Amino acid sequence: MIQITLPDGSIKAFEENVTPMDVAKSISEGLARNVISASFNGSTVETVTPLTTDGSLVLYTWNNDEGKKAFWHSSAHVLAQALEELYPGAKLTIGPAIENGFYYDVDFGDHIVSDKDFKTIENKMLEIARGKHDFNLRAISKAEALETYKNNPYKTELIENLEDGTITFCDHSTFTDLCRGGHIPNTGIIKAVKVLSVAGAYWRGDEKNKQLTRVYGISFPKQKELTEYLHLLEEAKKRDHRKLGKELELFTFSSKVGQGLPLWLPKGAALRERLEDFLKKAQKKQGYEMVVTPHIGQKELYVTSGHYAKYGEDSFQPIKTPKEGEEFLLKPMNCPHHCEIYNSAQWSYKDLPKRFAEFGTVYRYEQSGELHGLTRVRGFTQDDAHIFCTPDQLDEEFKKVIDLVLYVFGSLGFENFTAQVSLRDPDNPEKYIGSDENWEKAEKAILNATIEKGLDYVVETGEAAFYGPKLDFMVKDALGRQWQLGTIQVDYNLPERFELTYKGSDNEMHRPVMIHRAPFGSMERFIAILLEHTGGNFPLWLMPDQAIILSISEKYEKYAEKVLNVLENHEIRALVDHRNETIGKKIREAEMKKIPYMIIIGENEEQENKISVRQHGGEDLGSISIEEFAKIVEAETNKTLKQF
Ligand SMILES: [Zn+2]
Ligand SMILES: [Zn+2]
């Protein structure tokens, strides 16, 4: 008999060679019907793997991330079989599950697979799925594995890197693939499939290698779930920040300037400026001081900070000066510069905390295939700040940073978020730098602040960085997608590396603690997320253009200018559309640009010294005075933008 521990802590005895599916059946038939994958002692196993030792077993259904992973991993096998059958001679490479679905990288030879083929591939996949074929994992010798794939250089390369005795194949139907395991019981559970797209992908992500075709797909246990997912995708497409960025004239990219280097257009630059001013104002109230540092720094600076070891090889290479021996790096992080600002003076405990803030632009190399709109770029501006304080001040500083982050989220319409507290692994204290006493203080400070501020939080033990614990905010956007925004991180490492000190009340020199924090993260990524969250309908206070004046004909040009003037006096950002177009067309275009208020003026309005106001989306506010309109705008602004 073996002892199986279940997640609820209960321990049950089973005959040796019991499978996870047998265990599920012993609990309930209903559970057995829904179990699609399992892990045993922390490793993924098949639901039919015989268990031979005591251990803890977790059973997964579609509702767990692990279950979805097994479902999509297994679906990738079905996709591979379909592609192999439809395109004889196609060479399979790798095909993992991803966050949403799965892909398979295939060398199709001269054949080009395009969206015209998707339906055929889907039908083939469904036909295979309906066969209810079991997935069977079997061990195979290296020699035999190499023999099987003697005509496939990709699989051969993969197998050559594996150790004999650890290699497994997975069979289902007439199909076999090299695979480590983690499958659902059989193909019949896959009820709905969709081939989503194809893209080029280099073998092993290396531009020097051959370009393969990556076929993306997704699958579900129910047709309804696929329909819902596709609807969400449609919605996401409409809200794609790259599309909205173009339509709203916020930013652009130029192949001449370089990939991953966004160019901010006037409206986008104004939007950024507004966001920066908003944060600067709140930071000022919390005692932050703005600093400015250069975009490059000597290589030695980053050797000291440890960033060179981390980013050096895989990032932009040093810039060399005409004089020999001088090397500079594009700044990958602002922290080292701020440490040197701290070091430019001597501080006593009475001077602390020092809070240095900078909208600092940093540069990090990303492979061209990884670049994505504003969310993955090569140059971006962090709303960075570093707080240097005594260990005893951590508690208070943490609370302040949380207040600031909550203020930012509240003002920008992010209502759905959780906090993730990452603590060190208490069983491996040697992995971390800094004294036990300080770690305890910092962890307690983070937890206290989190609880005191009433945050919905989860604790991740062992997820702290080696240099300190942290608090991350996970935000859900309007489409239910999760983003990590706003990081607060304690650091014992850089103060050590840069030999930062302050004089304590005991007249001795001490090391300050450093907090890194960035409520937005980066301006680029934040604006991208905000665009997708709001669909371009930013809170009114942030809107590039809050109103547009649409004149019914050229006759009212003068009155339009007068209205604009009054609006400007009320600090309302407005445009005038004087074009000789029908009012219907002007309204449609203003709607497209998502301008919150359309001010229509014609003969009646001019005579009565009024304006007719229509809101984005269609609501008619009727004929009102400009003063009344200004009050409406003010009230709407105050609804989201509160005093800090
Ligand atoms: Zn597999
Ligand atoms: Zn930092």
Side-chain angles (χ1 to χ4, degrees):
M1 297 293 269
I2 54 169
Q3 307 287 326
I4 303 291
T5 310
L6 295 165
D8 64 0
S10 65
I11 301 173
K12 281 186 171 185
F14 290 94
E15 294 288 340
E16 206 179 312
N17 289 327
V18 68
T19 67
M21 192 51 91
D22 296 333
V23 175
K25 277 184 190 142
S26 81
I27 297 169
S28 83
E29 275 301 320
L31 178 63
R33 265 198 303 280
N34 288 313
V35 163
I36 54 175
S37 76
S39 73
F40 189 60
N41 290 335
S43 311
T44 304
V45 290
E46 308 287 304
T47 56
V48 293
T49 302
L51 308 178
T52 55
T53 63
D54 292 352
S56 34
L57 178 71
V58 188
L59 299 166
Y60 299 113
T61 68
W62 169 256
N63 295 322
N64 310 118
D65 287 349
E66 285 299 318
K68 284 192 179 70
K69 195 174 150 200
F71 194 91
W72 286 331
H73 168 93
S74 307
S75 302
H77 281 289
V78 175
L79 170 65
Q81 181 181 4
L83 295 175
E84 204 173 68
E85 288 181 15
L86 290 169
Y87 309 101
K91 290 188 173 64
L92 301 172
T93 71
I94 55 157
I98 51 176
E99 198 185 343
N100 287 300
F102 51 89
Y103 68 77
Y104 218 109
D105 283 351
V106 185
D107 179 352
F108 285 107
D110 293 333
H111 194 87
I112 292 165
V113 171
S114 73
D115 50 2
K116 287 190 212 75
D117 306 305
F118 290 179
K119 198 77 219 156
T120 315
I121 301 170
E122 286 160 14
N123 287 339
K124 193 69 176 175
M125 286 179 74
L126 287 172
E127 182 193 313
I128 297 164
R130 278 193 297 269
K132 292 195 178 132
H133 308 289
D134 289 344
F135 287 98
N136 295 308
L137 204 63
R138 69 179 151 101
I140 189 155
S141 73
K142 191 164 181 172
E144 244 181 296
L146 286 170
E147 176 60 25
T148 311
Y149 284 111
K150 61 172 186 271
N151 295 322
N152 183 327
Y154 310 101
K155 293 283 190 194
T156 300
E157 191 181 320
L158 294 173
I159 295 164
E160 270 164 357
N161 288 320
L162 296 172
E163 216 165 290
D164 202 0
T166 65
I167 305 171
T168 48
F169 275 5
C170 175
D171 307 316
H172 77 269
S173 173
T174 56
F175 179 79
T176 294
D177 205 346
L178 172 70
C179 177
R180 264 191 300 247
H183 306 97
I184 57 176
N186 68 73
T187 61
I189 303 164
I190 304 166
K191 300 283 195 219
V193 301
K194 186 84 191 164
V195 178
L196 295 168
S197 59
V198 284
Y202 294 104
W203 168 237
R204 304 212 128 172
D206 188 338
E207 290 168 43
K208 283 182 233 120
N209 287 337
K210 182 160 186 185
Q211 196 173 40
L212 309 167
T213 304
R214 179 167 293 178
V215 184
Y216 284 98
I218 196 161
S219 57
F220 292 91
K222 285 187 187 135
Q223 182 62 41
K224 189 171 150 261
E225 285 164 324
L226 174 61
T227 312
E228 282 169 6
Y229 179 76
L230 292 177
H231 174 72
L232 207 64
L233 267 193
E234 268 315 300
E235 230 1 79
K237 236 186 234 167
K238 278 188 223 152
R239 289 166 177 253
D240 188 323
H241 75 273
R242 294 168 298 178
K243 176 174 168 281
L244 287 174
K246 200 176 277 173
E247 286 169 9
L248 304 178
E249 299 165 30
L250 300 177
F251 58 87
T252 188
F253 287 91
S254 146
S255 58
K256 278 210 177 82
V257 171
Q259 284 184 313
L261 298 169
L263 303 174
W264 290 88
L265 304 174
K267 281 184 202 296
L271 177 85
R272 267 177 74 129
E273 194 178 53
R274 214 162 293 126
L275 273 174
E276 287 187 8
D277 288 346
F278 154 75
L279 191 58
K280 273 184 197 163
K281 209 167 138 191
Q283 284 179 168
K284 200 170 175 195
K285 289 199 177 153
Q286 285 199 337
Y288 286 80
E289 298 166 285
M290 295 303 295
V291 295
V292 177
T293 67
H295 288 232
I296 63 173
Q298 285 203 90
K299 184 179 152 189
E300 271 315 302
L301 176 70
Y302 306 105
V303 171
T304 303
S305 71
H307 291 114
Y308 186 73
K310 193 171 170 218
Y311 293 101
E313 292 281 296
D314 301 320
S315 198
F316 292 112
Q317 292 309 296
I319 301 162
K320 296 194 171 141
T321 57
K323 192 180 135 200
E324 258 176 73
E326 273 194 314
E327 287 187 312
F328 292 84
L329 280 185
L330 284 169
K331 169 165 82 173
M333 292 272 217
N334 301 302
C335 343
H337 296 243
H338 292 187
C339 284
E340 283 305 289
I341 288 182
Y342 181 90
N343 261 344
S344 68
Q346 285 183 338
W347 308 104
S348 110
Y349 69 100
K350 286 184 213 146
D351 301 318
L352 302 187
K354 293 305 295 178
R355 307 178 189 91
F356 298 135
E358 176 178 18
F359 287 89
T361 304
V362 295
Y363 301 89
R364 296 179 199 168
Y365 175 74
E366 300 272 359
Q367 289 190 10
S368 59
E370 302 288 319
L371 297 172
H372 181 88
L374 291 182
T375 53
R376 283 294 278 278
V377 287
R378 287 175 172 170
F380 54 95
T381 302
Q382 296 179 313
D383 56 322
D384 216 354
H386 295 97
I387 300 167
F388 301 88
C389 65
T390 72
D392 291 331
Q393 290 168 332
L394 266 184
D395 215 62
E396 195 55 36
E397 287 309 303
F398 245 93
K399 280 181 212 152
K400 280 190 164 175
V401 179
I402 292 176
D403 281 340
L404 184 68
V405 172
L406 297 185
Y407 174 65
V408 167
F409 289 175
S411 306
L412 290 154
F414 289 107
E415 279 143 18
N416 198 342
F417 54 84
T418 51
Q420 187 177 309
V421 178
S422 300
L423 306 179
R424 68 180 167 161
D425 176 0
D427 298 333
N428 288 301
E430 74 287 352
K431 274 182 20 192
Y432 306 92
I433 78 147
S435 71
D436 269 353
E437 192 198 342
N438 278 343
W439 269 85
E440 270 159 35
K441 243 180 212 167
E443 295 190 338
K444 219 189 235 163
I446 296 185
L447 279 168
N448 273 351
T450 308
I451 295 163
E452 196 170 299
K453 295 293 167 192
L455 298 179
D456 195 0
Y457 72 101
V458 287
V459 172
E460 299 283 354
T461 308
E463 286 297 305
F466 77 93
Y467 52 82
K470 62 174 177 167
L471 173 64
D472 290 316
F473 286 87
M474 310 301 289
V475 177
K476 257 198 183 147
D477 73 8
L479 298 185
R481 296 169 301 181
Q482 189 149 287
W483 304 87
Q484 191 222 308
L485 277 182
T487 297
I488 316 174
Q489 195 148 8
V490 177
D491 189 347
Y492 294 114
N493 181 37
L494 289 184
E496 204 61 46
R497 282 175 173 262
F498 282 92
E499 298 176 359
L500 308 184
T501 55
Y502 68 91
K503 192 180 260 179
S505 54
D506 54 2
N507 260 331
E508 300 282 323
M509 297 312 273
H510 298 269
R511 286 259 181 272
V513 188
M514 190 171 171
I515 300 175
H516 310 252
R517 45 103 286 181
F520 295 146
S522 86
M523 301 309 287
E524 285 73 12
R525 186 165 167 278
F526 187 80
I527 289 173
I529 295 168
L530 193 60
L531 268 169
E532 301 206 357
H533 176 56
T534 60
N537 297 303
F538 296 121
L540 188 60
W541 67 268
L542 193 60
M543 265 302 193
D545 301 307
Q546 296 170 312
I548 184 163
I549 302 164
L550 311 174
S551 50
I552 288 186
S553 94
E554 287 157 3
K555 276 195 286 182
Y556 310 106
E557 222 168 276
K558 262 226 167 77
Y559 183 56
E561 290 302 333
K562 189 187 143 199
V563 172
L564 180 66
N565 213 299
V566 182
L567 292 180
E568 277 169 356
N569 289 341
H570 283 282
E571 291 182 2
I572 295 170
R573 296 183 290 278
L575 302 167
V576 186
D577 186 350
H578 278 319
R579 291 173 309 154
N580 190 14
E581 296 284 358
T582 64
I583 192 73
K585 185 169 181 191
K586 288 181 179 182
I587 289 176
R588 272 197 306 281
E589 287 182 11
E591 283 283 351
M592 280 279 293
K593 288 187 180 147
K594 301 178 193 287
I595 299 173
Y597 295 102
M598 284 154 268
I599 294 171
I600 299 149
I601 54 169
E603 195 176 347
N604 288 341
E605 285 79 12
E606 182 168 16
Q607 271 173 9
E608 294 172 26
N609 200 21
K610 284 190 165 178
I611 53 176
S612 287
V613 182
R614 185 190 148 101
Q615 255 182 312
H616 173 64
E619 205 194 328
D620 199 344
L621 302 185
S623 180
I624 54 178
S625 72
I626 305 175
E627 309 304 321
E628 281 173 285
F629 175 66
K631 283 209 180 86
I632 292 173
V633 171
E634 195 187 343
E636 182 63 32
T637 301
N638 292 341
K639 242 200 258 170
T640 44
L641 188 60
K642 304 257 190 300
Q643 283 295 324
F644 181 58

